[in-house]
Amino acid sequence: AKTLGGAVCAFGTGEAGAGRTRPSLTLMTQLRSALGLVEAADADCGQLVVLFQPQLDLARDAVCGAEALVRWDHPELGVLTPAEFLDEAERHGLMGHLTHHVLDRALAAAAGWPTRSGDQRLRLAVNLSATNLLDVDLPARVAGLLHRHGQDPGTLVLEITETVLMSRSPRTRSVLEGLRALGVGLSIDDFGTGYSSLAYLKELPVEEVKLDRSFVADIAHDDRSAAIVASTIWLGHRLGVRIVGEGVETARTLEVLRGLRCDTTQGFLHSRPLVADEFERWLAARRAGVGTAP
Ligand code: C2E
Ligand code: MG
Ligand code: MG
Ligand code: MG
């Protein structure tokens, strides 16, 4: 079933994605339309949907935020996952527009959330792509969107992957510093998949590291993965960085992460990514103490 939100997406990694079955030019032309970049009568800005996946503070057992994850509800192909169109969008120079769109939608939704959950201030996390970090206007754009939606910069976390950091381009660095100067938090996503080095944390103004789910999934039964995760958490904490465990699917994994003093968890165990109103209902249900999440 290819539906949004709580349902399972039948798509796999995207290797057999839309680009194979249709000329990608068509797909990218349609993406331009979905982004509202063409003056077509049939332009549909409702196709790009932002889902929200809850993040939990482990020590307090309270929701502390959500990550925004884009889906493309394509009129003919069904729901496309990021793996099925983001690389192509990046190659076609559309990521600036896509990030703007996701940020705009996600901030609009976050403006309707309660500001806190228990004693936790809710944070919104949004993914950036490599080309976004080459855009010197990004900090100003982000500031404009925060202002438009009346959101405090301190509630926004922007996730970047290690690959971006590896380039060590001066332009990227100045964009990151511009974002940091705004008061926005920076997070290193998928930590452990690339040439990870906690040395980045010495140089860059990062406040959070997200352990990739490939490590997280193994910690309950693989001592080596557990050792890598344990030392990453320890060192991260020494450097004042919050650690998020991604892809938490089982109660056992959650308990191991808790034992290792991981700060935050995210994964199907708590909830799948949800459409905005489902997320608000999920939040309300948890607050009322009838939450289904562990
Ligand atoms: P990510 O940022 O690492 O996001 C986490 C991915 O893991 C999401 O896949 C999420 O649905 C999935 N996930 C969460 N919990 C679990 C779990 O317990 N088990 C498993 N197996 N998977 C889980 P999704 O939504 O398909 O996104 C894939 C990637 O696409 C993201 O990885 C991110 O790198 C990128 N992406 C998604 N949305 C955006 C966006 O708006 N902008 C940009 N630039 N990239 C995005
Ligand atoms: Mg992410
Ligand atoms: Mg990740
Ligand atoms: Mg990932």
Side-chain angles (χ1 to χ4, degrees):
K2 297 189 297 176
T3 54
L4 289 164
V8 181
C9 269
F11 281 101
T13 58
E15 276 154 352
R20 290 263 178 95
T21 48
R22 325 197 102 222
S24 66
L25 193 61
T26 308
L27 194 71
M28 288 301 114
T29 304
Q30 292 169 328
L31 183 57
R32 283 178 186 281
S33 168
L35 284 165
L37 299 176
V38 288
E39 306 270 332
D42 62 347
D44 185 359
C45 301
Q47 289 178 18
L48 290 167
V49 180
V50 179
L51 303 185
F52 299 90
Q53 188 176 33
Q55 299 182 325
L56 271 84
D57 180 298
L58 260 179
R60 295 182 181 81
D61 190 31
V63 185
C64 56
E67 178 176 8
L69 296 160
V70 72
R71 296 291 180 269
W72 182 2
D73 192 3
H74 191 283
E76 292 133 39
L77 301 171
V79 179
L80 303 182
T81 63
E84 293 170 292
F85 63 96
L86 286 191
D87 287 350
E88 198 72 15
E90 184 93 292
R91 279 198 293 280
H92 282 75
L94 293 173
M95 285 312 284
H97 296 288
L98 188 113
T99 297
H100 189 94
H101 180 92
V102 171
L103 265 171
D104 187 45
R105 294 295 164 92
L107 286 166
W113 300 347
T115 44
R116 321 185 79 83
S117 152
D119 60 349
Q120 287 292 307
R121 189 160 75 147
L122 289 179
R123 282 186 295 262
L124 168 70
V126 175
N127 294 281
L128 296 182
S129 80
T131 52
N132 291 155
L133 272 305
L134 291 169
D135 175 9
V136 291
D137 296 329
L138 184 71
R141 258 189 256 283
V142 170
L145 285 168
L146 283 164
H147 182 75
R148 181 194 298 175
H149 295 287
Q151 295 297 92
D152 182 313
T155 62
L156 181 64
V157 176
L158 296 173
E159 301 189 359
I160 51 188
T161 56
E162 299 167 316
T163 350
V164 171
L165 300 179
M166 270 164 49
S167 74
R168 293 183 182 225
S169 104
R171 190 148 35 133
T172 294
R173 199 187 164 105
S174 83
V175 172
L176 289 173
E177 275 160 7
L179 291 170
R180 196 69 200 101
L182 278 182
V184 165
L186 298 176
S187 170
I188 304 183
D189 203 354
D190 302 342
F191 190 85
T193 51
Y195 296 91
S196 309
S197 166
L198 284 163
Y200 297 131
L201 305 181
K202 195 182 128 209
E203 294 173 26
L204 288 163
V206 163
E207 70 168 38
E208 180 187 277
V209 162
K210 298 186 81 174
L211 298 167
D212 192 69
R213 72 167 186 263
S214 57
F215 281 101
V216 171
D218 287 345
I219 56 173
H221 52 84
D222 175 26
D223 287 347
R224 287 168 169 261
S225 294
I228 294 168
V229 165
S231 60
T232 305
I233 292 173
W234 182 84
L235 190 51
H237 286 170
R238 287 295 308 264
L239 294 166
V241 170
R242 178 173 68 238
I243 310 285
V244 182
E246 308 193 282
V248 177
E249 293 184 353
T250 69
R252 175 94 184 95
T253 302
L254 182 67
E255 283 327 300
V256 176
L257 287 172
R258 196 192 299 280
L260 295 174
R261 304 271 181 276
C262 183
D263 302 287
T264 305
T265 51
Q266 179 182 341
F268 294 165
L269 179 68
H270 303 311
S271 170
R272 288 183 177 270
L274 305 168
V275 296
D277 56 348
E278 281 177 328
F279 176 69
E280 286 198 35
R281 281 199 295 276
W282 185 92
L283 263 183
R286 260 198 77 96
R287 287 181 125 197
V290 294
T292 50

